[in-house]
Amino acid sequence: MIAAFGIRKYFNVKQSMLSNLMLKAVDGVDLKIRKGEIFGLVGESGSGKTTLGRILVGLLEPTEGDVLFDVDEDVTSRYENALLKGDKEELEALSKKYSIFKKRGNNRKILRRKMNIVFQDPYSSLDPRMRIIDIVKEPMIATDYLKGEAAEKRVLDLLEEVGLGKSFAQRYPHELSGGQRQRVAIARALATEPEFVVLDEPTSALDVSVQAQILNLLKKLKQERELTMLLITHNIAVVSYMADRVGVMYAGKLMEVGDKIQVLKNPKHPYTVSLISAVPQPKPRSIRQRIVLKGEPPNLIFLPRGCIFHPRCPFAFEECGWSTDEIVDDLSYLISSKYYESFGESVSIRTKDENTIIIENAKAELISEIVEKEKANLKSLTAIKKITQEVNYVEIKIHDFITPELYKLDDGRKVACLLFRAEEKNA
Amino acid sequence: MEKRMEAKEIEGLRLSLVIFFSNKTAVVGLMIFMAYVIDALLMQFAPSMLGVNNPNALAFDYSNTIPQPPSPEHILGTTYFGVDLLQAIMQAIRIDLGYSGLIVISGALIGALFGIISAYAGGWFDEILMRITDIFFGIPYLVLALGVGFALGRTIESMIIALIIVWWPLYERYTRSLTLSIKEQTFIEAAKASGVSDLKIMIKHIFPNTLPPVLVQISLDLGVVMAIFATLTFIGFLPTGNLPELGYLTSLGLNYIQIAPWATIFPGLAITIFALAVNLMGDGLRDVIDPRRRSS
Amino acid sequence: MSEGPVIKIDDLHVYFFTRRGIYQALRGVNLTLNKGEVLGLAGESGSGKSTLGLAIMGLLPRNAIIPKGSIILGNGTDLVEKIRGKAPFKKDKLNLRKNELLIRNLNKHLQKIRGKRISMVFQEPMTALNPVLQIGYQIAETVLYHDAERLIRRALAREKVTREDLRNMIKILKNEGERGIYEYALKAGLNGIEEQIFAIWNREDIHEAKKEKMIIDLAKDKLGLFERIGLKLARKGMLKIPLISRLARRALIKEGYRVAKELLSSLGIPQVDSVVKMYPHELSGGMRQRVVIAIALANNPDVVILDEPTSALDVTIQAQILELIRNLRKKTNAAFLFISHDLSVLAEVSDRIAIMYAGKVMEVGRVEQIFEEPLHPYTKMLLDVIPTMEKDTLKPAKGTIPDARYPPPGCPFAPRCPFAKEDCLKFDREIAVTKDHIVSCILYENKK
Ligand SMILES: Nc1ncnc2c1ncn2[C@@H]1O[C@H](COP(=O)(O)OP(=O)(O)OP(=O)(O)O)[C@@H](O)[C@H]1O
Ligand SMILES: Nc1ncnc2c1ncn2[C@@H]1O[C@H](COP(=O)(O)OP(=O)(O)OP(=O)(O)O)[C@@H](O)[C@H]1O
Ligand code: SF4
Ligand SMILES: [Mg+2]
Ligand SMILES: [Mg+2]
């Protein structure tokens, strides 16, 4: 139906006149959404959900990667094969035929008819100077779908369908409540009978009872029309109610993709596990394992190496991508704060190269002992491979790291975590 | 249902009026402005009602050219060449108001056109326009107007063109900044997602949304432009002959300022009062379009 | 835990006068907040939750009036006595200027009480902090404003304390616990030092030896000559004299920064030394919210009102803040009024929950009662519309919340309620189904 391959979107951010840095909003996402499916995309703020959604409806061109629309299994597997083999010609040919970014002129109009988007904020997504009828009519006129009387009649039908009633046609947006506006936005998105709609946080500005009305409406539309939807939200409860499949995003990458019940009921990726455990439950005093993630979301300009989640991951281990800087940070905390009495003031610690750390005026034995003791709390220490005593300093070597990909598990879901690398090999 | 909708629209209008009229000074401004406009309209279409034969020429009275103080015959007195000041000012208002309106509105239209395109398109076009307007902003109005007017020849038409050239960059910048913020609103992106072309987005979505603040700006600017226009004639930049124009009227009385101060004060006052009035009115209008004011 | 009310609200009415009409935001709210509890306040947008918080704080805008009702503190002070029913009217119109004066006078009168005993975290996270002042300064200023005495005490105690004293106190701390320190400090004339010692001692991120060193180092941290003179004079009540206040103020703000650091590290913020020197925009949303909570807690208040403290935050950050509030509840004995439109969030932190609708409280009960045996049809609906994986459809009530200008008569939920009968339009009472479970619905009239 719609398939995205290797999508990357980097934004230029000017730090100063000289340096031009790249903010990696979306960083290598593959995604397939089947016909008639609701795909839920969750993740914290800034993880790139909206950016991905805008790329999928062609509002934003990706820095890298391609989106194919109206394709079947056959085409996507041909594309995948071509990608693997590096077959440029085949890629070119398929892209020319199916890519949403290569459509021009009339084809583009037809494409625009087939996909649309509903935005989060119902207050700024409707032009305050247009009447509802003109707002809903706009996509039909712009894509030559319908004109004049026919279009107006369809507007009235659509308004009925989203539960507003014909009388709203002549009103202006500011006379409507948030829920009513969001219905208008949905009516507009449905005007040209699209096959694919992106819903970007369609209910997060609304009250719970209004949210319920909108969600019910969307469910009805899905059943009656076989509409394919990408539902973007940070509200896990909404996704668990609506979606068929779920993708979890973190810092521009997909961490886990799979069937809703698998991912939400029995999450595998450490990030998904902590995300789900953080969701407040409407059951007071329910006893459950809560993992409160420490720290802040990552800096999207300088992403951590290896697994991007490793600085916050409660299960991280030696190969997850620890850098000498992270280890030096933790060691110097131990030396200068926690075990201050055993070390005193004279110890100095520094990075020598990518995988070597030097500590002066300390004993290897003592450091090994402390590292063993603190490993469970300070995960970075797991990456220490060897501690050797040289003549007047201690040398620490660290492990190499691996960057995880999406590994496919037995139950069909995919997880981007090294803990599951072996499982895929076995499978 | 239909009725309720009408009621809502009326309520919106009523609210706007209530907000405007709750600002007392704005109402005074509006009343003065209306007086000027009515005077100008009458002068244009029915000058005889005001006892004027030719609204385009001052009625000189060579029998007594020395300025006379206010008297029952000449309520505001007379100025040099025996011109009745009241009548002359009433004639002049038409010319000043008409020309400054013409200048501001054309400047606004040109500015809005470029402002919207440059903000919407961005890139090199925007960059070039920014530099051009920078140049205009670097030079004082009056100097620039003098320069352009000099280059084009010292006629009233070239004067108007000069002032439009001076004035449009202001609106270019203003609509540019308005457009930049409107562009960020999601309804623009929604329109793109619906397949609306860029040109149509600018015409149907961006232009109507820049309009109210631009109109307020126009009302605020009218006074300034009138003052500049008058200044140019005052310093004798234009061959005025017997043109009823406030700046020229002021300059007529200037030689007699020692013995007949009213001859400079009254025309000057006509300019000042107008500038003040439109400013007050503009402030009131600004309240009306300010959503925060509306909700309180 | 509950040991009697710290705030008792009775039949509270708050109206807003606007050009578009009179908004009846609160229409007879009865509610008590007990010592040491977290009371959750839920309800949809526009039900009057924030207005209730603001009324308790006395922070009403100038177009607000309180025609009826009272807000009584534990010690018997009625917070709204001065403005109740006193709104200045000119014919039918509210005289805004005079009303503003009235409210401002009330605020002046309440300021001391409010800041120290009641504090609030506001709904809009951006407006709560001043963008041009350092975080530490903002906390310091709050403490200085409400409790300059505490800052003087702390600084002078540090001035006087010797290493010997501190070593003794560490020994006492290890053997006898916190109580011994109070006694020692009192005897040695060092009160003000104890809270500084506790703040170090209770930190969880550093080793004991380091803590001991930090405590001993307190004795090293002496004031400059002028600062000392300033503080000593300030202590004698000469803070009002211009030059002295100048001298003292610098020292006091510096001391305030120390309080800020202690407070922030007790809220689990790392690297407080640099955080106190940052400006609000340099902090992430979660961090900023913690700072705002720190400011609310700066003077050890009895009551903290939290207005949607997590609504603008991500789930993971929200979980951090909720954890923080759960911990605070154990550590302090303040009472919390936690406002949120998200029942699931309230389920996590509250002891009791009140459900509001159209300016009235529909149901109050312990958290289990509300979730397991909800009585009011509105509460039931709110629970029914929480989406979950198991639910097939959600069942929202038809219609929308009423316009606050034209509230329906009787039970405000009647127009949307599936069980409504004729009599509901006249019903307006609260029924105590059990001692601590109160509902305002006609269906329970005879089931007492
Ligand atoms: N046009 C842009 N220019 C620069 N940076 C951008 C732009 N659009 C998005 N970003 C950045 O890309 C990152 C991802 O943004 P995005 O809006 O996709 O996140 P999101 O997952 O939708 O978050 P939220 O839940 O807050 O909506 C953010 O850090 C954002 O600041
Ligand atoms: N300053 C004000 N002037 C006029 N009306 C007001 C004012 N503040 C609040 N109101 C009105 O009072 C009612 C209650 O508002 P309040 O902010 O207390 O609701 P809330 O429950 O906090 O809602 P939300 O969940 O949206 O924060 C609303 O109808 C609102 O429009
Ligand atoms: S690879 Fe897995 S275990 Fe390692 S840091 Fe990432 S999520 Fe954690
Ligand atoms: Mg988003
Ligand atoms: Mg509120």
Side-chain angles (χ1 to χ4, degrees):
Chain A
M1 173 68 214
I2 183 162
F5 297 97
I7 301 291
R8 282 174 213 282
K9 180 72 199 180
Y10 295 175
F11 290 109
N12 264 329
V13 282
K14 282 220 172 69
Q15 206 81 354
S16 64
M17 290 293 276
L18 295 174
S19 68
N20 219 353
L21 299 171
M22 289 298 196
L23 184 148
K24 305 178 183 72
V26 176
D27 199 14
V29 168
D30 296 319
L31 192 67
K32 267 180 258 173
I33 306 178
R34 297 185 204 112
K35 194 166 177 64
E37 170 178 76
I38 300 186
F39 187 93
L41 193 61
V42 298
E44 57 191 355
S45 186
S47 55
K49 306 184 296 295
T50 300
T51 308
L52 183 60
R54 290 165 68 205
I55 290 173
L56 285 185
V57 288
L59 280 175
L60 208 61
E61 289 233 8
T63 317
E64 228 177 80
D66 211 340
V67 178
L68 309 188
F69 183 62
D70 241 349
V71 289
D72 50 22
E73 285 290 329
D74 184 42
V75 179
T76 55
S77 55
R78 264 166 63 202
Y79 195 90
E80 271 162 10
N81 279 336
L83 269 179
L84 276 179
K85 285 192 217 127
D87 183 349
K88 288 250 169 65
E89 262 168 53
E90 172 88 345
L91 288 179
E92 200 67 12
L94 286 172
S95 167
K96 203 165 165 209
K97 195 152 168 213
Y98 297 108
S99 168
I100 60 169
F101 304 105
K102 302 257 162 67
K103 298 238 153 73
R104 294 283 171 270
N106 206 36
N107 281 342
R108 191 163 177 80
K109 270 191 184 160
I110 292 172
L111 179 75
R112 286 264 69 97
R113 263 185 224 164
K114 288 188 177 172
M115 43 175 44
N116 214 323
I117 181 166
V118 175
F119 293 97
Q120 168 174 10
D121 184 4
Y123 290 89
S124 75
S125 66
L126 306 180
D127 187 338
R129 306 213 163 262
M130 277 167 85
R131 282 174 310 168
I132 304 301
I133 188 166
D134 296 319
I135 292 175
V136 179
K137 208 162 60 175
E138 191 167 41
M140 297 191 254
I141 308 283
T143 61
D144 301 335
Y145 178 74
L146 279 179
K147 268 209 228 27
E149 294 253 313
E152 290 193 358
K153 185 166 174 309
R154 176 148 173 75
V155 172
L156 299 182
D157 291 346
L158 278 165
L159 289 178
E160 294 268 299
E161 189 170 352
V162 298
L164 278 181
K166 297 188 169 81
S167 60
F168 281 81
Q170 301 299 328
R171 295 212 196 163
Y172 283 92
H174 70 89
E175 298 166 13
L176 272 51
S177 70
Q180 291 170 337
R181 284 167 191 235
Q182 203 59 301
R183 284 163 199 257
V184 172
I186 291 173
R188 170 176 59 191
L190 296 178
T192 52
E193 290 200 77
E195 293 162 17
F196 174 61
V197 176
V198 171
L199 302 153
D200 188 2
E201 316 255 12
T203 59
S204 43
L206 306 176
D207 263 326
V208 276
S209 65
V210 186
Q211 162 172 297
Q213 292 165 356
I214 301 273
L215 295 184
N216 283 342
L217 167 67
L218 290 173
K219 262 206 163 166
K220 193 186 89 189
L221 287 170
K222 176 202 150 156
Q223 275 151 14
E224 287 173 6
R225 296 210 182 164
E226 272 227 328
L227 196 59
T228 310
M229 297 188 230
L230 174 71
L231 176 64
I232 297 173
T233 173
H234 56 250
N235 190 333
I236 312 272
V238 168
V239 169
S240 71
Y241 173 67
M242 295 287 293
D244 301 312
R245 284 199 307 142
V246 176
V248 181
M249 265 187 110
Y250 182 79
K253 285 198 165 73
L254 275 175
M255 294 282 114
E256 184 163 358
V257 191
D259 191 70
K260 162 176 81 177
I261 299 180
Q262 287 164 6
V263 175
L264 300 180
K265 279 264 145 119
N266 177 20
K268 291 281 192 223
H269 193 287
Y271 176 65
T272 323
V273 173
S274 53
L275 186 70
I276 306 274
S277 85
V279 177
Q281 295 290 328
K283 299 182 193 98
R285 314 271 140 88
S286 59
I287 307 156
R288 61 203 164 96
Q289 190 66 35
R290 202 191 320 264
I291 303 171
V292 176
L293 274 190
K294 285 192 221 96
E296 302 282 321
N299 180 332
L300 295 176
I301 298 170
F302 305 106
L303 284 173
R305 63 180 200 175
C307 170
I308 40 173
F309 184 55
H310 81 255
R312 301 169 79 190
C313 178
F315 303 106
F317 57 103
E318 60 258 35
E319 291 166 321
C320 290
W322 300 104
S323 66
T324 47
D325 289 343
E326 288 166 299
I327 299 173
V328 165
D329 264 2
D330 284 344
L331 275 179
S332 45
Y333 157 71
L334 290 178
I335 290 172
S336 64
S337 296
K338 193 155 180 183
Y339 294 93
Y340 173 78
E341 57 190 328
S342 341
F343 288 96
E345 300 279 356
S346 64
V347 182
S348 82
I349 176 166
R350 64 190 159 84
T351 303
K352 187 171 160 222
D353 57 41
E354 277 255 311
N355 34 28
T356 321
I357 298 167
I358 302 279
I359 306 180
E360 277 165 29
N361 297 326
K363 289 264 172 294
E365 268 166 55
L366 183 58
I367 293 190
S368 307
E369 193 184 305
I370 289 172
V371 165
E372 277 314 310
K373 206 154 75 187
E374 292 291 335
K375 241 182 189 168
N377 296 329
L378 297 173
K379 297 288 178 188
S380 71
L381 303 183
T382 56
I384 294 179
K385 192 156 80 180
K386 216 163 74 188
I387 303 177
T388 43
Q389 179 78 52
E390 299 292 328
V391 184
N392 39 15
Y393 60 87
V394 178
E395 190 183 82
I396 298 180
K397 284 277 179 197
I398 70 171
H399 282 281
D400 293 332
F401 70 94
I402 304 171
T403 305
E405 299 157 25
L406 277 170
Y407 306 115
K408 192 162 183 179
L409 305 193
D410 289 344
D411 56 7
R413 82 171 91 188
K414 291 183 184 167
V415 182
C417 167
L418 293 175
L419 293 170
F420 300 92
R421 199 159 71 105
E423 262 180 59
E424 182 185 58
K425 277 188 196 141
N426 297 341
Chain B
M1 239 1 190
E2 202 65 351
K3 262 210 188 104
R4 223 181 97 198
M5 190 201 79
E6 255 168 47
K8 275 218 159 181
E9 256 168 29
I10 292 171
E11 191 191 355
L13 184 67
R14 193 188 63 94
L15 189 67
S16 302
L17 292 178
V18 166
I19 293 170
F20 187 84
F21 280 98
S22 69
N23 184 343
K24 298 278 165 1
T25 52
V27 176
V28 174
L30 177 72
M31 277 168 11
I32 297 173
F33 176 72
M34 286 316 292
Y36 275 67
V37 171
I38 289 168
D39 174 86
L41 287 177
L42 283 177
M43 209 44 97
Q44 175 71 31
F45 296 108
S48 54
M49 269 179 71
L50 300 170
V52 177
N53 295 324
N54 181 359
N56 288 319
L58 291 171
F60 292 149
D61 177 3
Y62 295 104
S63 61
N64 188 2
T65 59
I66 306 296
Q68 300 295 311
S71 63
E73 271 151 278
H74 305 288
I75 295 173
L76 298 182
T78 64
T79 185
Y80 184 56
F81 288 134
V83 177
D84 178 69
L85 261 178
L86 179 64
Q87 195 184 354
I89 288 175
M90 283 168 77
Q91 284 175 301
I93 282 173
R94 165 175 158 267
I95 301 239
D96 281 78
L97 189 65
Y99 285 146
S100 46
L102 179 68
I103 291 163
V104 175
I105 290 169
S106 343
L109 281 177
I110 297 170
L113 180 69
F114 284 115
I116 289 175
I117 296 175
S118 88
Y120 190 79
W124 57 267
F125 187 76
D126 188 28
E127 200 62 27
I128 292 173
L129 264 172
M130 284 292 278
R131 295 303 142 251
I132 293 176
T133 48
D134 271 348
I135 296 172
F136 281 103
F137 277 119
I139 308 170
Y141 299 141
L142 212 54
V143 176
L144 190 64
L146 284 176
V148 178
F150 208 78
L152 295 176
R154 291 168 51 182
T155 63
I156 196 117
E157 290 78 23
S158 73
M159 198 63 244
I160 287 165
I161 292 171
L163 281 174
I164 291 174
I165 289 175
V166 173
W167 225 251
W168 76 268
L170 200 89
Y171 283 91
E172 199 272 344
R173 283 297 175 90
Y174 190 49
T175 41
R176 181 176 176 277
S177 71
L178 288 171
T179 307
L180 283 179
S181 68
I182 294 168
K183 206 174 96 175
E184 290 306 309
Q185 305 233 16
T186 35
F187 65 81
I188 299 297
E189 205 172 358
K192 279 189 202 161
S194 301
V196 183
S197 66
D198 287 339
L199 183 66
K200 272 221 173 123
I201 288 181
M202 284 189 258
I203 297 172
K204 280 181 63 183
H205 293 282
I206 294 185
F207 180 67
N209 278 292
T210 56
L211 210 52
V214 166
L215 284 178
V216 171
Q217 189 60 36
I218 285 178
S219 77
L220 288 171
D221 277 356
L222 271 177
V224 184
V225 169
M226 184 189 277
I228 291 180
F229 188 76
T231 311
L232 287 170
T233 50
F234 176 79
I235 59 175
F237 188 72
L238 281 183
T240 26
N242 60 357
L243 184 73
E245 200 287 326
L246 290 170
Y248 177 57
L249 280 178
T250 318
S251 69
L252 282 181
L254 197 63
N255 289 334
Y256 299 88
I257 191 151
Q258 302 272 335
I259 55 160
W262 60 87
T264 37
I265 288 174
F266 286 131
L269 216 53
I271 300 173
T272 318
I273 289 176
F274 181 76
L276 197 69
V278 287
N279 241 307
L280 296 176
M281 185 179 75
D283 278 341
L285 289 177
R286 189 155 37 202
D287 286 352
V288 172
I289 63 165
D290 182 355
R292 271 165 308 172
R293 287 294 182 125
R294 290 188 85 91
S295 55
S296 89
Chain C
M1 233 213 209
S2 51
E3 321 162 20
V6 273
I7 291 185
K8 193 164 182 323
I9 298 165
D10 255 320
D11 195 29
L12 186 66
H13 286 67
V14 176
Y15 294 172
F16 293 107
F17 279 69
T18 73
R19 290 204 177 101
R20 289 166 181 267
I22 303 168
Y23 288 80
Q24 308 187 7
L26 297 182
R27 306 187 294 127
V29 169
N30 300 310
L31 210 55
T32 43
L33 181 61
N34 296 318
K35 202 166 173 191
E37 77 169 350
V38 179
L39 173 62
L41 189 59
E44 292 180 277
S45 187
S47 53
K49 306 182 296 295
S50 301
T51 306
L52 183 62
L54 292 172
I56 296 173
M57 290 292 289
L59 290 180
L60 290 169
R62 63 185 197 145
N63 63 343
I65 71 161
I66 299 187
K68 258 208 283 193
S70 59
I71 302 175
I72 297 173
L73 291 188
N75 63 6
T77 331
D78 185 348
L79 290 181
V80 296
E81 195 183 353
K82 291 243 156 88
I83 56 173
R84 183 194 316 128
K86 298 219 170 81
F89 279 99
K90 208 163 56 186
K91 276 183 250 151
D92 258 355
K93 274 170 95 181
L94 183 66
N95 186 334
L96 284 181
R97 277 237 306 287
K98 278 198 187 149
N99 198 42
E100 186 175 14
L101 225 64
L102 192 74
I103 292 178
R104 205 183 302 152
N105 280 339
L106 173 79
N107 283 349
K108 231 182 244 159
H109 172 71
L110 291 179
Q111 226 151 28
K112 292 280 166 183
I113 310 176
R114 193 196 308 141
K116 267 190 84 166
R117 307 190 51 169
I118 311 178
S119 62
M120 181 159 178
V121 171
F122 293 93
Q123 188 164 0
E124 287 103 45
M126 282 317 289
T127 54
L129 293 170
N130 185 335
V132 298
L133 295 178
Q134 291 183 355
I135 299 297
Y137 189 88
Q138 301 194 36
I139 298 178
E141 209 174 33
T142 328
V143 182
L144 176 60
Y145 184 79
H146 292 292
D147 200 356
E149 184 56 35
R150 172 174 166 207
L151 295 177
I152 300 174
R153 205 164 56 222
R154 287 171 51 108
L156 291 180
R158 224 176 36 249
E159 192 67 16
K160 195 171 165 199
V161 80
T162 61
R163 280 161 173 266
E164 205 43 45
D165 284 325
L166 289 167
R167 282 213 188 87
N168 288 339
M169 283 199 261
I170 291 174
K171 232 177 270 157
I172 296 172
L173 198 55
K174 282 182 176 164
N175 298 334
E176 300 168 34
E178 300 197 346
R179 173 152 300 163
I181 302 283
Y182 283 113
E183 281 163 21
Y184 187 99
L186 205 62
K187 242 187 3 235
L190 288 172
N191 29 1
I193 202 76
E194 70 284 345
E195 58 167 276
Q196 301 176 54
I197 294 178
F198 296 149
I200 297 173
W201 196 249
N202 292 331
R203 275 174 71 167
E204 277 153 16
D205 58 334
I206 46 179
H207 197 266
E208 207 159 278
K210 174 92 177 181
K211 289 184 193 168
E212 283 180 27
K213 180 168 185 301
M214 283 173 73
I215 291 178
I216 307 261
D217 280 350
L218 284 176
K220 259 204 268 178
D221 212 332
K222 299 290 186 208
L223 296 164
L225 175 65
F226 287 113
E227 290 175 342
R228 190 162 61 230
I229 296 173
L231 285 188
K232 288 215 164 125
L233 291 174
R235 161 119 87 182
K236 301 226 166 72
M238 289 195 242
L239 208 52
K240 291 263 156 60
I241 303 166
L243 196 64
I244 294 173
S245 78
R246 188 59 94 53
L247 277 179
R249 197 181 151 83
R250 266 198 47 203
L252 288 174
I253 288 287
K254 226 162 122 190
E255 190 61 37
Y257 267 84
R258 289 185 77 103
V259 177
K261 285 185 209 168
E262 289 171 11
L263 203 57
L264 291 177
S265 64
S266 80
L267 296 187
I269 293 178
Q271 282 139 27
V272 284
D273 288 333
S274 53
V275 172
V276 290
K277 295 209 188 82
M278 287 188 188
Y279 293 88
H281 69 93
E282 296 176 76
L283 300 175
S284 67
M287 210 60 137
R288 213 178 289 138
Q289 195 59 286
R290 264 182 250 202
V291 169
V292 174
I293 293 176
I295 292 178
L297 291 173
N299 290 302
N300 304 319
D302 298 339
V303 178
V304 183
I305 300 168
L306 303 160
D307 193 356
E308 311 261 6
T310 64
S311 301
L313 304 175
D314 265 321
V315 206
T316 44
I317 313 289
Q318 167 171 289
Q320 290 174 359
I321 300 282
L322 293 182
E323 182 90 359
L324 171 70
I325 289 166
R326 271 191 296 263
N327 287 340
L328 282 175
R329 221 195 109 217
K330 281 183 227 145
K331 264 197 256 176
T332 66
N333 51 10
F336 291 86
L337 179 64
F338 193 116
I339 300 174
S340 175
H341 63 265
D342 188 345
L343 273 175
S344 311
V345 167
L346 294 182
E348 301 262 321
V349 291
S350 318
D351 299 303
R352 292 192 306 135
I353 290 185
I355 309 278
M356 278 187 80
Y357 185 77
K360 289 190 178 187
V361 176
M362 298 281 102
E363 184 168 359
V364 195
R366 276 184 287 110
V367 63
E368 317 83 71
Q369 290 168 335
I370 296 289
F371 281 91
E372 278 145 33
E373 33 189 307
L375 297 176
H376 201 284
Y378 180 61
T379 315
K380 288 181 185 163
M381 184 206 75
L382 282 184
L383 290 171
D384 275 344
V385 296
I386 299 176
T388 63
M389 207 182 291
E390 290 78 23
K391 282 182 194 158
D392 242 2
T393 47
L394 307 172
K395 296 181 218 74
K398 58 184 194 298
T400 50
I401 53 168
D403 189 328
R405 288 171 294 181
Y406 318 109
C411 170
F413 191 56
R416 303 174 68 191
C417 178
F419 309 106
K421 359 180 195 179
E422 194 96 344
D423 287 348
C424 292
L425 299 177
K426 280 178 281 175
F427 183 83
D428 182 16
R429 264 174 2 91
E430 292 181 353
I431 298 164
V433 177
T434 61
K435 198 175 112 264
D436 47 8
H437 195 173
I438 295 165
V439 61
S440 169
C441 171
I442 202 165
L443 299 176
Y444 302 92
E445 189 138 57
N446 303 319
K447 293 192 188 159
K448 266 173 90 171

